[in-house]
Amino acid sequence: MAGWSVLSLASPCLPTRLPADQRRGYKNVFNALIRIAQEEGVPTLWRGCIPTMARAVVVNAAQLASYSQSKQFLLDSGYFSDNILCHFCASMISGLVTTAASMPVDIVKTRIQNMRMIDGKPEYKNGLDVLMKVVRYEGFFSLWKGFTPYYARLGPHTVLTFIFLEQMNKAYKRLFLSG
């Protein structure tokens, strides 16, 4: 069955959405790599690579910019000092902004990785085609379908990332720059 990439392989331990007759039955990851390359061609292994990189760019840009801006806004408000509470609040705001910015790109990435072949042609031409079809057939706001669980995953990740970063920066300044 064409249209699957290594990036979208389901673990045998996790439930799958495919009916039993459509499952691939890979024995292990090496078996999957070999079979995909033989049955669908080596380029199939990289399907979704470009949208995955685009998502990484959007996530990192949104996280870094919104964290810095949020932290500065909170400090300028006079209600916060540069401590862990400020870092936590700025991180949660950053996670919210990052979720809003990255969900449309994540939908494009996932749809391209999981696209089917219809009459020997791919379901989508490119990422813009995915966006246009999603908006046309599912509505504009469907680009943010699943916002709450996405934020529930990304928010804590962002909090931990920036709290660790701030604590490491603080330790570095104390240990190496206070000389």
Side-chain angles (χ1 to χ4, degrees):
M1 170 175 286
W4 293 94
S5 71
V6 171
L7 297 173
S8 63
L9 294 176
S11 165
C13 302
L14 298 174
T16 180
R17 291 181 286 172
L18 288 176
D21 63 324
Q22 292 181 6
R23 294 184 195 153
R24 300 296 197 94
Y26 299 123
K27 296 175 185 153
N28 55 52
V29 71
F30 301 109
N31 175 254
L33 288 168
I34 290 166
R35 282 187 44 203
I36 290 170
Q38 288 174 341
E39 296 170 14
E40 301 177 44
V42 173
T44 303
L45 297 172
W46 280 270
R47 181 180 299 141
C49 184
I50 300 298
T52 300
M53 291 188 300
R55 180 190 177 275
V57 168
V58 169
V59 166
N60 284 285
Q63 270 186 332
L64 293 170
S66 64
Y67 176 75
S68 295
Q69 290 294 308
S70 299
K71 181 181 167 189
Q72 194 59 53
F73 176 79
L74 293 173
L75 291 172
D76 291 346
S77 73
Y79 294 108
F80 291 88
S81 57
D82 195 1
N83 58 23
I84 202 158
L85 177 62
C86 177
H87 304 157
F88 174 81
C89 292
S91 297
M92 288 301 285
I93 294 167
S94 176
L96 192 67
V97 170
T98 303
T99 299
S102 67
M103 281 197 73
V105 184
D106 196 55
I107 285 175
V108 168
K109 173 192 78 80
T110 303
R111 299 270 176 117
I112 286 178
Q113 288 174 337
N114 295 326
M115 77 176 152
R116 298 168 290 150
M117 299 299 272
I118 300 171
D119 297 326
K121 293 179 2 185
E123 187 175 4
Y124 304 107
K125 296 175 191 150
N126 53 41
L128 187 58
D129 187 42
V130 174
L131 284 174
M132 298 302 287
K133 286 181 178 176
V134 168
V135 169
R136 183 180 304 129
Y137 299 117
E138 300 173 39
F140 179 73
F141 291 106
S142 69
L143 294 172
W144 291 276
K145 197 181 320 176
F147 186 91
T148 303
Y150 194 98
Y151 179 60
R153 181 183 60 82
L154 192 62
H157 172 270
T158 305
V159 167
L160 291 173
T161 299
F162 286 114
I163 286 179
F164 286 142
L165 173 71
E166 292 286 357
Q167 295 304 310
M168 289 190 310
N169 282 341
K170 191 172 164 183
Y172 179 80
K173 288 175 185 172
R174 187 181 71 248
L175 294 171
F176 298 106
L177 300 179
S178 65

